[in-house]
Structure formats: structure tokens, C-alpha cells
Amino acid sequence: ACLARRRSSVRLRYSPQKINIMKKDYEFVIKVIRNKENKLIHYPAIKNLIDIWKNKWIGSKEYSKNIYDVYLHSLKLNLKRSFK
């Protein structure tokens, strides 16, 4: 019975529902980064938004570490491309 409880808690920890919340946050930040009207003056605020996203999800046990790493890499890469 104890082993069954452990397995179910692992399944809940990485549920698609929780990952979808992270994904929605990620998609919002990407939308802000890719805004065609961004100017250099917006760079610090967008960088701050990425830091807020990072701090929100880094300590959470509700996500897969691999997904977090992929999203964070994508955010940083898109930021660099947007402000060339």
C-alpha cells in the first residue's frame, strides 16, 4: 500500500496539468519577447520578466527539470535574437 501511494504521488507531481501552467507562463513571456514593437529600452523589463518566470518555477516540485531547462534556454535564446 505504501509503494502504491509513492507511485501515485510521483504521477501527480509531473501531471500534464501542472506542466501546462508552466507552458502558459512560458508562452506569455515568449509573446512579450517576440513583440515587433520592442525597443532597446524594453530590454531590462523583458529580462526582468524572464527572471520572474525563472524564480517562479526553479524551486517548484510541480515540473520536470528537463522541461524547465528547455523553456529557460528557449527564453534566453529568443531574447538574444530579438535584440540583435
Side-chain angles (χ1 to χ4, degrees):
C2 184
L3 182 59
R5 261 188 267 144
R6 260 193 230 151
R7 285 184 182 162
S8 66
S9 69
V10 170
R11 266 186 249 129
L12 291 175
R13 195 166 70 195
Y14 297 117
S15 71
Q17 206 171 30
K18 300 289 185 187
I19 293 171
N20 284 338
I21 295 169
M22 180 192 282
K23 183 178 179 184
K24 285 180 183 178
D25 286 351
Y26 162 79
E27 288 171 346
F28 174 78
V29 177
I30 282 291
K31 187 177 175 183
V32 170
I33 292 171
R34 292 180 179 169
N35 184 347
K36 298 293 182 195
E37 296 180 21
N38 283 340
K39 306 227 181 325
L40 194 56
I41 196 168
H42 298 121
Y43 181 85
I46 295 171
K47 185 128 175 65
N48 188 37
L49 184 62
I50 293 172
D51 289 341
I52 291 169
W53 182 91
K54 188 168 63 170
N55 291 335
K56 178 179 180 179
W57 291 108
I58 196 163
S60 176
K61 297 187 192 278
E62 299 172 343
Y63 65 87
S64 165
K65 179 76 169 123
N66 293 335
I67 292 171
Y68 168 82
D69 289 340
V70 169
Y71 283 164
L72 184 59
H73 179 73
S74 173
L75 291 173
K76 289 179 178 181
L77 192 63
N78 276 280
L79 182 66
K80 286 179 184 176
R81 288 180 181 163
S82 293
F83 287 94
K84 277 188 173 180

